[in-house]
Amino acid sequence: MDNNELVICQGLTKNYGKKTALNNLNLTLGRGQFIGLLGPNGSGKSSLIKILTGLIHDYSGEVLIDGEVPGPSTKAKIAYLPEKSYLADWMRAIDAIKYIADFYPDFDRDKAMRMLDTFGLQPKQKIKSMSKGMQEKLQLILVMCRNAKLYIFDEPLSGVDPAARDGILDIIMKNHPKDSTMLISTHLIHDVESIFDHALMIGQGKVLLNSSVDDICSSGKTLEDVFKEVFKYAWQID
């Protein structure tokens, strides 16, 4: 495994009964990159995320994260923000911080408290009384105060208004460790393509494109334009 390679998947296949979610997928993700994980619903993105985060174990093929098979040791190197909230409504912001700090030794509680103040979140406010945007910011703080090697975000901007999106992206851009890799799954390509330096497009369980954004857009097209072209072709040959 090359020192610059953080994630390697070789022949990765995942089936749900007769349905194939990942079909002999091969990819390599480097260190220190902002990567857009792009594809329509049912493309295999969620299955890939769940395998990388150790939530799915019944797959075939090889997966290595920092040289190790997904398991307890790799979970300590990954900070994961799922699409749906995992925090209980009764919790206050301070309770959520204590909860994550108890699980992860690399969590910076002081930084989390500073970020609460920066983004106008009250430590004793209950999650059930927070707006969608406030909840998203709190969960992002919990993720970004980890000192992880791989950060995975599953639709972090889903259902959030445009003003809150800018705040969320600002948190991500300003608070990640220098050499960490950020893998962001999103349908809102136009809103976030400016932060990506690499794009991974998956369709029908296969990698359709895995390239730097500079190379993708060298023709003057936007990442969203290229996305539409890639998947229009993919559907035509299905």
Side-chain angles (χ1 to χ4, degrees), residues 8-27 44 47-48 51 56-63 204-206:
I8 295 177
C9 299
Q10 294 182 332
L12 178 57
T13 299
K14 170 59 185 172
N15 296 311
Y16 297 95
K18 295 182 179 180
K19 180 181 177 182
T20 299
L22 297 173
N23 186 4
N24 196 35
L25 181 144
N26 298 293
L27 66 85
S47 294
L48 176 61
I51 289 171
I56 290 178
H57 302 282
D58 56 334
Y59 59 84
S60 60
E62 183 180 44
V63 179
Q204 301 165 1
K206 296 181 179 181

Side-chain angles (χ1 to χ4, degrees), residues 28-44:
T28 300
L29 303 179
R31 301 177 191 273
Q33 295 182 328
F34 267 80
I35 303 169
L37 177 58
L38 312 174
N41 290 332
S43 62

Side-chain angles (χ1 to χ4, degrees), residues 99-112:
Y99 175 76
I100 298 299
D102 286 344
F103 269 94
Y104 298 104
D106 65 357
F107 184 79
D108 189 335
R109 188 181 301 205
D110 291 337
K111 180 180 177 181

Side-chain angles (χ1 to χ4, degrees), residues 4 28-38 172-173 176-184 189 192-201 209-218 223:
N4 192 48
T28 300
L29 303 179
R31 301 177 191 273
Q33 295 182 328
F34 267 80
I35 303 169
L37 177 58
L38 312 174
I172 294 173
M173 291 292 291
H176 67 94
K178 181 180 178 181
D179 296 326
S180 63
T181 291
M182 321 297 285
L183 182 64
I184 304 174
I189 302 173
V192 297
E193 65 176 298
S194 63
I195 75 170
F196 294 146
D197 51 40
H198 201 90
L200 174 64
M201 298 186 187
L209 187 148
N210 185 8
S211 180
S212 75
V213 171
D214 285 345
D215 288 344
I216 292 170
C217 302
S218 59
L223 182 58

Side-chain angles (χ1 to χ4, degrees), residues 1-9 27-33 35 52 63-68 74 77-78 148-152 179-183:
M1 186 171 185
D2 188 285
N3 285 336
N4 192 48
E5 296 172 342
L6 180 60
V7 176
I8 295 177
C9 299
L27 66 85
T28 300
L29 303 179
R31 301 177 191 273
Q33 295 182 328
I35 303 169
L52 294 180
V63 179
L64 295 176
I65 300 171
D66 201 29
E68 299 181 285
T74 60
K77 300 177 182 181
I78 297 173
K149 292 188 176 183
L150 175 63
Y151 294 78
I152 299 178
D179 296 326
S180 63
T181 291
M182 321 297 285
L183 182 64

